[in-house]
């Protein structure tokens, strides 16, 4: 459990050093935190045991001669086959490659657009790292392309954006949900007050179980029959319908950002519209767990950038401290729940700690 907290605490120290203008030390701690995340991903065996075993089996039977027989997305299978047949890499080499690609995309985009790099990495590490690097590998690979496509949204390069999303779709079919992002980022218009009232009006939908109806539509994008229960709720993946801490904080963070972002700043305006569009999708889809808690993460992951502006744009120091404290408390809570659930963190980092101890 302590292993998972080391990157978090190191990056947290970097954030405090940056806040108090200790410039000579904040970057070394930030770099150290990033290295610790990489070491935690290297050779790791945390995550769902069944997921790991299944992905290992798929890796064992995949080859360049026939990459379409597994039932998984063709792009994901192609990368497996290249690593296995061309570079003679084992499953953990492939795993580390997927982890590295996703993490590099996160680092690149947050370095380019975030106003608090340390906070961005804390949010990513706490909310997304263990899910997409520890079990949901196909979606983690798709996330590399969707996160990278944010650059093309900002640059208004629609062709490149759609090309990246199509490639993401070949890694995990759920990436189809990110196709409207370019339109939403530039053409979905609403005043902050109007957007907030619409979101609040839609909140009661989280009490309605729409899974049997909406979820059935998304079975058309499932690559194998065995995944149908994830969408229809006939298996053990039904999400509890109702108001949760996550739902409340989604709305609270949106309200904070909506009334503080710089409307004359293109990046902040794009982030506002993407956040709003995410909530417009989330409220009616909240009962479809595999979509609301996974598929819509293609939008939600950009809170690692959005929330840094939510802190920066507060007009008083007290407000900045309060918003930052709320975000940090939620990241710590999320990471704590993850560490309790996973318990084991075999990795290169853990091996190094074992040698030291």
């Amino acid at each position: 459990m302590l292993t998972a907290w080391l990157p978090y605490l190191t990056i947290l120290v970097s954030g405090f050093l940056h806040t108090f203008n200790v410039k000579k030390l904040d970057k070394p701690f930030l770099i150290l935190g990033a290295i610790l995340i990489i070491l935690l991903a290297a050779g790791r065996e945390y995550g769902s045991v069944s997921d790991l075993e299944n992905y290992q089996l798929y890796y064992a039977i995949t080859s360049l001669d026939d990459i379409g027989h597994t039932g998984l997305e063709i792009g994901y299978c192609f990368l497996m086959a290249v690593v296995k047949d061309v570079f003679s890499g084992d499953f953990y080499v492939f795993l580390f490659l997927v982890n590295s690609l996703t993490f590099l995309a996160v680092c690149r985009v947050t370095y380019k657009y975030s106003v608090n790099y340390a906070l961005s990495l804390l949010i990513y590490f706490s909310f997304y790292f263990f899910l997409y690097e520890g079990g949901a590998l196909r979606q983690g690979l798709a996330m590399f392309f969707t996160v990278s496509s944010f650059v093309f949204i900002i640059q208004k390069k629609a062709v490149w954006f759609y090309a990246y999303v199509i490639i993401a779709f070949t890694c995990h079919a759920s990436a189809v949900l990110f196709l409207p992002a370019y339109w939403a980022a530039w053409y979905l218009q609403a005043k902050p007050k109007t957007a907030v009232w619409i979101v609040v009006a839609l909140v009661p939908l989280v009490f309605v179980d729409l899974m049997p109806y909406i979820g059935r539509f998304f079975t058309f994008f499932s690559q194998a029959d065995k995944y149908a229960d994830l969408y229809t709720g006939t298996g053990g993946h039904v999400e509890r319908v109702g108001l949760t801490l996550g739902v409340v904080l989604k709305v609270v963070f949106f309200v904070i950002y909506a009334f503080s972002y710089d409307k004359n700043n293109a990046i902040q305006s794009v982030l506002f519209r993407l956040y709003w569009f995410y909530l417009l999708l989330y409220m009616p889809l909240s009962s479809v767990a595999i979509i609301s808690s996974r598929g819509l993460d293609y939008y939600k992951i950009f809170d690692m950038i959005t929330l840094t502006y939510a802190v920066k744009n507060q007009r008083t120091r007290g407000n900045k401290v309060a918003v930052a404290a709320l975000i940090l408390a939620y990241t710590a809570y999320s990471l704590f729940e993850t560490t309790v659930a996973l318990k084991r963190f075999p990795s290169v980092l853990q091996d190094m700690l074992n040698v030291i101890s």
Side-chain angles (χ1 to χ4, degrees):
M1 183 181 292
L2 176 61
T3 312
W5 283 94
L6 287 179
Y8 181 91
L9 295 174
T10 305
I11 298 171
L12 183 62
V13 170
S14 171
F16 279 117
L17 291 172
H18 179 78
T19 301
F20 292 103
N21 295 314
V22 187
K23 301 297 184 182
K24 292 183 179 181
L25 291 177
D26 65 335
K27 287 186 178 179
F29 270 91
L30 186 65
I31 294 171
L32 176 59
I35 292 173
L36 291 175
I37 291 176
I38 294 171
L39 291 175
L40 189 61
R44 66 103 186 108
E45 294 180 6
Y46 51 81
S48 169
V49 174
S50 60
D51 281 345
L52 282 175
E53 291 176 349
N54 287 334
Y55 279 121
Q56 284 176 309
L57 289 173
Y58 284 126
Y59 191 82
I61 64 175
T62 298
S63 67
L64 281 172
D65 296 331
D66 184 9
I67 59 175
H69 74 286
T70 62
L72 300 182
E73 288 84 352
I74 195 73
Y76 179 82
C77 292
F78 177 74
L79 183 60
M80 281 197 298
V82 168
V83 173
K84 180 183 176 182
D85 293 351
V86 178
F87 296 100
S88 301
D90 63 15
F91 174 72
Y92 286 100
V93 171
F94 169 74
L95 206 57
F96 184 65
L97 175 63
V98 173
N99 293 340
S100 299
L101 285 173
T102 310
F103 186 56
L104 286 173
V106 167
C107 288
R108 180 194 176 205
V109 171
T110 53
Y111 183 78
K112 194 174 181 68
Y113 299 111
S114 173
V115 290
N116 190 325
Y117 195 48
L119 181 57
S120 291
L121 286 186
L122 285 178
I123 293 170
Y124 164 74
F125 183 68
S126 302
F127 296 152
Y128 306 102
F129 174 80
F130 290 101
L131 175 59
Y132 296 111
E133 317 304 342
L137 299 181
R138 290 177 296 140
Q139 195 169 353
L141 182 59
M143 198 77 75
F144 163 73
F145 293 101
T146 57
V147 168
S148 299
S149 73
F150 184 74
V151 177
F152 302 124
I153 293 178
I154 298 299
Q155 295 175 350
K156 289 189 174 182
K157 295 181 178 179
V159 173
W160 280 103
F161 166 79
Y162 288 115
Y164 267 54
V165 175
I166 290 171
I167 296 173
F169 178 78
T170 69
C171 299
H172 197 278
S174 62
V176 70
L177 292 166
F178 198 62
L179 272 175
Y182 188 88
W183 169 83
W186 291 111
Y187 301 107
L188 185 65
Q189 301 293 337
K191 294 180 179 180
K193 185 180 292 187
T194 302
V196 167
W197 278 115
I198 291 175
V199 168
V200 172
L202 292 177
V203 168
L205 289 177
V206 303
F207 295 99
V208 181
D209 187 3
L210 298 176
M211 195 172 201
Y213 311 103
I214 298 176
R216 198 170 298 278
F217 168 77
F218 286 96
T219 60
F220 292 108
F221 298 101
S222 180
Q223 295 297 300
D225 291 339
K226 69 177 183 178
Y227 293 120
D229 67 309
L230 296 176
Y231 300 89
T232 61
T234 57
H237 301 276
V238 182
E239 184 171 318
R240 185 181 304 163
V241 177
L243 207 59
T244 64
L245 177 63
V247 173
V248 172
L249 287 178
K250 284 178 177 66
V251 176
V252 169
F253 288 145
F254 178 68
V255 171
I256 292 172
Y257 183 75
F259 290 120
S260 63
Y261 83 97
D262 183 356
K263 300 167 188 61
N264 297 316
N265 183 285
I267 295 172
Q268 294 186 48
S269 296
V270 163
L271 289 168
F272 166 73
R273 289 189 285 268
L274 284 179
Y275 201 164
W276 184 41
F277 187 63
Y278 160 69
L279 291 178
L280 292 180
L281 293 175
Y282 178 85
M283 295 306 171
L285 293 173
S286 61
S287 58
V288 189
I290 197 65
I291 300 171
S292 63
S293 62
R294 288 267 293 277
L296 294 183
D297 275 1
Y298 296 111
Y299 295 92
K300 185 175 179 291
I301 194 171
F302 293 108
D303 62 8
M304 63 187 179
I305 303 173
T306 306
L307 295 182
T308 65
Y309 286 102
V311 175
K312 177 181 180 294
N313 292 337
Q314 298 306 306
R315 294 182 180 180
T316 68
R317 179 173 295 182
N319 286 347
K320 288 184 179 181
V321 170
V323 174
L326 179 61
I327 295 171
L328 290 175
Y330 191 39
T331 59
Y333 168 78
S334 177
L335 185 57
F336 177 77
E337 282 203 323
T338 300
T339 56
V340 169
L342 296 182
K343 297 180 182 178
R344 299 175 61 251
F345 294 89
S347 63
V348 170
L349 178 58
Q350 184 61 62
D351 291 342
M352 294 172 64
L353 292 174
N354 291 340
V355 171
I356 295 172
S357 60

